[in-house]
């Protein structure tokens, strides 16, 4: 039996040991390497030397002993994208510039609309400074670009953060029209593919080391809450998409009564405490990472996020106020790469993790002003979370447009069993009996009701509700009436009638295909498992228990 040898193979992601024999062919050895590292057979190259010399080819005639590979030797693996010389496209670009190479992505409709707008700030003719006719233009009245710094700084109040599309216009407004613009997402991880040293924690260099993060100030408990993963999240997103909706943010409240007689609430979030706690910042960063902003100028296909955080809290007048925030791209990167931690006893402080043998964490700094008025740089251990927050203006529309109907007796909201609000067929029957509108579309236009119809365990309608969702989206009563006559809705009504609540106008609804509701009513629901049985049977076909 051939003597086994162990050969070390170093890749950009680490070192692995491959068991082989001296008589083993190079082709068989490379197959083992591909299986161990998860590569395709032609997706990598293996070299004897670190400088990519002495490549081992997939030969079926040369053995490892013939290649002078011995027990304990270290070989070097490079993926195909790193093994060969640079392409002509990469070398043809000017030094320091790189074509964005953005993938083909479909941006949001609002981004497509804004990118087609002129965006310029038009000014009227100044009667004192302009010396030309009504059709002429000069430096005092020529339209300004939306990123003009003098204009933004002279507004009252000054605009500290220009809009994202104004920034895009600034990048793409030069002679090259943004040909080499690439919006790079921040990364706190070591770049893979560095050849000159051992992998972390045994080696690191300036090429693969992530850059330090410096934060600028953005704006001037014992109890905790854990957000659990929603098992119905995918279904919710699917229903929302068919209704023309999508998530734009998350909202929470910390309202505490200040004076019950006056109806005031406590003012707890201010410059002397915090605007968002460190845990709330980390949660906001996680949500923003899960909902990235699609962008054609980023090589990753996304840059930043539009996802917002809204807080219903007490204001300076002890009345309910709504505040809006986002966290910065730096915070998103720190959260995504698990570099930021909350402080246990100080909600206004976060903490940048220290590097360990399992994870390299770049240095994080923030700028502050000392007692002498000098700008100083501090290590973010701890880190005031106000450096991570961006203030977002909150407002309400003058003329609200509602997707769903406003009912005096709404359908119960999911996940509120502890509050006594349960979603079941009894609550559905109660809702239908209390909402006696002659317009079926108004009755059914409740998102929580639609979600229950799709996800209930007794009669889920996920495969047959598309027509109803289209009716709600387009506000088409005729389409809703067509779905109302389906066998599925007739079954839902029959299930509701078994809980002791009589639905108004139940006899009016006939099923499609010529069958009437009277025929459906001949079916009976099991009192034990609610299964709908055929007429004439004395035992339930599902649980085998007697009918009475």
């Amino acid at each position: 039996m051939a003597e086994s040898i162990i050969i070390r193979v170093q890749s950009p992601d680490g070192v692995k040991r491959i068991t082989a024999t001296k008589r083993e062919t190079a082709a068989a050895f490379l197959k083992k390497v591909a299986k161990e590292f998860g590569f395709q057979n032609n997706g990598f190259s293996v070299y004897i030397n670190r400088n990519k010399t002495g490549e081992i080819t997939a030969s079926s005639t040369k053995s490892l002993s013939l290649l002078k590979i011995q027990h304990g030797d270290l070989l070097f693996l490079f993926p195909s994208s790193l093994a060969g010389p640079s392409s002509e496209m990469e070398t043809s670009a000017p030094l320091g510039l790189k074509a964005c190479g953005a993938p083909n992505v479909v941006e949001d409709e609002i981004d497509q609309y804004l990118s087609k707008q002129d965006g310029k700030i038009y000014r009227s003719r100044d009667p004192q400074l302009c010396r030309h006719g009504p059709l002429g233009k000069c430096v005092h009245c020529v339209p300004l670009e939306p990123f003009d710094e003098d204009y933004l700084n002279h507004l009252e109040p000054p605009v500290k953060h220009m809009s994202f599309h104004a920034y895009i216009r600034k990048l793409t407004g030069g002679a090259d029209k943004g040909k080499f613009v690439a919006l790079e997402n921040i990364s706190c991880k070591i770049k893979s593919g560095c050849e000159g040293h051992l992998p972390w924690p045994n080696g690191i260099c300036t090429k693969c080391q992530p850059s330090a993060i410096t934060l600028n100030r953005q704006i001037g408990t014992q109890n905790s809450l854990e957000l659990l993963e929603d098992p119905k999240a995918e279904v919710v997103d699917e229903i929302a998409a068919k209704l023309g909706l999508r998530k734009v943010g998350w909202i929470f409240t910390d309202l505490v009564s200040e004076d019950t007689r006056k109806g005031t609430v406590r003012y707890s979030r201010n410059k002397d405490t915090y605007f968002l706690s460190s845990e709330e910042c980390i949660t906001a960063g996680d949500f923003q990472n899960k909902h990235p902003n699609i962008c054609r100028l980023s090589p990753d296909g996304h840059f930043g996020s539009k996802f917002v955080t809204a807080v219903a809290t007490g204001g300076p007048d002890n009345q309910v106020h709504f505040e809006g925030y986002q966290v910065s791209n730096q915070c998103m990167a720190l959260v995504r790469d698990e570099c930021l931690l909350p402080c246990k006893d100080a909600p206004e402080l976060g903490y940048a993790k220290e590097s360990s043998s399992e994870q390299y964490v770049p240095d994080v700094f923030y700028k502050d002003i000392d007692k002498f008025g000098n700008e100083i740089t501090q290590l973010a251990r701890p880190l005031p979370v106000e450096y991570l927050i961006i203030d977002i203006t909150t407002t309400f529309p003058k003329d609200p447009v509602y997707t769903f109907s406003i009912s005096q007796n709404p359908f119960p909201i999911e996940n509120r069993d502890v509050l006594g609000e349960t979603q079941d067929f009894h609550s559905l029957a109660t809702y239908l009996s209390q909402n006696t509108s002659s317009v079926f579309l108004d009755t059914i236009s409740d998102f929580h009701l639609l979600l229950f119809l799709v996800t209930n365990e007794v009669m889920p309608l996920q495969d047959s509700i598309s027509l109803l969702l289209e009716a709600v989206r387009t506000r088409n009563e005729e389409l809703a009436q067509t779905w109302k006559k389906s066998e599925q809705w007739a079954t839902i009504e029959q299930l509701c009638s078994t809980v002791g609540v009589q639905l108004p106008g139940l006899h009016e609804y006939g099923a499609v295909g010529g069958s009437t509701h009277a025929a459906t009513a001949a079916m009976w629901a099991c009192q034990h498992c609610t299964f709908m049985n055929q007429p004439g049977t004395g035992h339930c076909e599902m649980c085998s228990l007697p009918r009475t």
Side-chain angles (χ1 to χ4, degrees):
M1 184 175 178
E3 180 182 358
S4 297
I5 61 175
I6 296 178
I7 301 171
R8 297 172 297 159
V9 179
Q10 178 181 314
S11 76
D13 297 323
V15 178
K16 294 188 178 182
R17 292 173 172 83
I18 310 295
T19 302
T21 62
K22 292 184 178 180
R23 297 181 181 179
E24 190 168 297
T25 63
F29 173 73
L30 291 178
K31 286 184 179 180
K32 290 184 177 180
V33 173
K35 182 178 179 181
E36 185 69 24
F37 285 89
F39 283 100
Q40 299 295 329
N41 290 335
N42 58 350
F44 65 96
S45 299
V46 177
Y47 300 89
I48 296 177
N49 302 313
R50 191 188 297 273
N51 60 357
K52 296 183 182 179
T53 59
E55 181 178 1
I56 301 175
T57 58
S59 173
S60 58
T61 57
K62 293 183 179 180
S63 63
L64 297 182
S65 59
L66 186 61
L67 295 173
K68 298 181 180 181
I69 298 176
Q70 301 178 359
H71 175 71
D73 281 357
L74 178 63
L75 305 180
F76 302 92
L77 180 148
F78 296 93
S80 297
S81 59
L82 302 174
S86 301
S87 64
E88 293 182 3
M89 180 180 295
E90 293 176 338
T91 56
S92 62
L95 185 63
L97 294 176
K98 179 182 178 181
C100 62
N104 292 326
V105 296
V106 180
E107 294 182 314
D108 293 341
E109 293 183 5
I110 183 64
D111 292 324
Q112 297 181 36
Y113 172 79
L114 291 176
S115 64
K116 297 176 183 178
Q117 303 305 304
D118 179 69
K120 292 186 177 180
I121 303 165
Y122 288 89
R123 299 183 293 176
S124 303
R125 181 176 180 273
D126 192 316
Q128 296 182 351
L129 300 177
C130 295
R131 305 300 183 188
H132 52 74
L135 300 179
K137 291 291 182 182
C138 67
V139 294
H140 303 293
C141 61
V142 68
L144 300 176
E145 293 290 350
F147 51 82
D148 187 276
E149 294 185 5
D150 291 335
Y151 174 81
L152 298 177
N153 291 332
H154 284 83
L155 290 176
E156 187 59 40
V159 176
K160 184 176 181 181
H161 305 287
M162 72 175 68
S163 69
F164 178 69
H165 279 273
Y167 180 65
I168 293 294
R169 191 67 57 89
K170 181 179 181 180
L171 294 178
T172 59
D176 58 5
K177 300 298 181 183
K179 180 180 180 181
F180 299 108
V181 170
L183 297 176
E184 298 284 351
N185 288 293
I186 300 172
S187 176
C188 299
K189 293 183 177 180
I190 296 177
K191 297 178 182 178
S192 61
C194 202
E195 313 164 6
H197 54 78
L198 296 174
W200 176 264
N202 298 320
I204 194 171
C205 68
T206 55
K207 294 181 180 179
C208 61
Q209 179 182 10
S211 301
I213 296 177
T214 302
L215 303 169
N216 293 312
R217 192 184 300 270
Q218 305 292 339
I219 60 171
T221 89
Q222 190 174 17
N223 297 322
S224 63
L225 175 69
E226 181 181 1
L227 296 181
L228 302 177
E229 292 292 335
D230 186 1
K232 301 177 182 179
E234 292 185 4
V235 180
V236 172
D237 291 339
E238 182 180 349
I239 294 176
K242 291 182 179 180
L243 292 171
L245 305 172
R246 65 174 179 173
K247 298 174 184 174
V248 296
W250 69 299
I251 184 171
F252 65 92
T253 177
D254 65 348
L255 294 174
V256 178
S257 177
E258 179 75 17
D259 190 333
T260 55
R261 294 172 299 177
K262 298 180 180 179
T264 56
V265 293
R266 185 177 302 172
Y267 177 43
S268 58
R269 294 176 184 263
N270 50 63
K271 62 182 181 62
D272 297 323
T273 55
Y274 58 88
F275 297 99
L276 287 181
S277 70
S278 55
E279 289 182 306
E280 292 162 356
C281 284
I282 292 173
T283 304
D286 182 58
F287 278 133
Q288 289 182 207
N289 283 318
K290 290 179 179 178
H291 301 84
N293 175 52
I294 306 302
C295 181
R296 58 184 172 83
L297 294 180
S298 172
D300 301 322
H302 60 85
F303 185 78
S305 174
K306 294 188 180 76
F307 207 77
V308 299
T309 297
V311 188
T313 184
D317 55 356
N318 296 110
Q319 299 298 318
V320 178
H321 284 243
F322 288 86
E323 306 293 342
Y325 303 99
Q326 275 193 316
V327 294
S328 62
N329 287 11
Q330 292 95 330
C331 180
M332 290 174 58
L334 291 171
V335 172
R336 182 190 63 239
D337 297 331
E338 300 180 353
C339 299
L340 185 63
L341 299 173
C343 286
K344 181 178 180 180
D345 301 322
E348 73 277 7
L349 297 176
Y351 192 88
K353 291 172 62 176
E354 299 183 30
S355 297
S356 64
S357 58
E358 291 80 18
Q359 179 186 12
Y360 176 84
V361 179
D363 291 331
V364 182
F365 301 95
Y366 67 94
K367 294 182 179 180
D368 201 359
I369 304 296
D370 63 12
K371 61 181 180 180
F372 303 106
N374 301 316
E375 185 178 79
I376 57 176
T377 301
Q378 301 273 23
L379 187 63
R381 299 190 184 111
L383 168 67
V385 295
E386 62 196 63
Y387 286 85
L388 307 175
I389 303 172
I390 301 173
D391 191 19
I392 303 295
T393 303
T394 56
T395 184
F396 290 90
K398 293 182 179 180
D399 300 313
V401 177
Y402 297 100
T403 304
F404 306 103
S405 301
I406 306 299
S407 173
Q408 297 294 332
N409 303 291
F411 188 72
I413 299 175
E414 53 279 339
N415 302 323
R416 295 193 177 184
D417 295 345
V418 295
L419 301 178
E421 297 184 21
T422 305
Q423 287 189 345
D424 53 22
F425 278 91
H426 186 276
S427 59
L428 174 59
T430 303
Y431 170 80
L432 294 176
S433 64
Q434 293 176 346
N435 292 271
T436 58
S437 172
S438 60
V439 182
F440 177 69
L441 185 62
D442 291 340
T443 302
I444 207 69
S445 295
D446 185 299
F447 188 83
H448 306 289
L449 169 59
L450 296 172
L451 181 61
F452 172 75
L453 293 178
V454 172
T455 59
N456 74 87
E457 297 180 355
V458 179
M459 184 66 182
L461 303 180
Q462 187 166 5
D463 298 331
S464 57
I465 204 171
S466 297
L467 183 66
L468 178 60
L469 297 179
E470 179 65 17
V472 174
R473 186 183 69 85
T474 57
R475 303 298 302 169
N476 190 327
E477 171 66 15
E478 182 179 352
L479 206 59
Q481 289 290 341
T482 301
W483 186 88
K484 179 182 179 181
K485 298 175 182 178
S486 66
E487 294 180 355
Q488 290 81 4
W489 181 247
T491 305
I492 291 292
E493 288 183 320
Q494 184 63 28
L495 289 171
C496 291
S497 66
T498 63
V499 298
V501 180
Q502 182 63 34
L503 302 185
L506 187 61
H507 61 278
E508 299 176 2
Y509 310 145
V512 294
S515 61
T516 64
H517 187 73
T520 307
M523 300 177 64
W524 60 277
C526 177
Q527 298 178 356
H528 308 281
C529 69
T530 70
F531 181 76
M532 297 299 300
N533 293 274
Q534 296 296 327
T537 56
H539 290 75
C540 177
E541 299 176 8
M542 179 61 66
C543 65
S544 300
L545 293 175
R547 178 173 182 176
T548 57

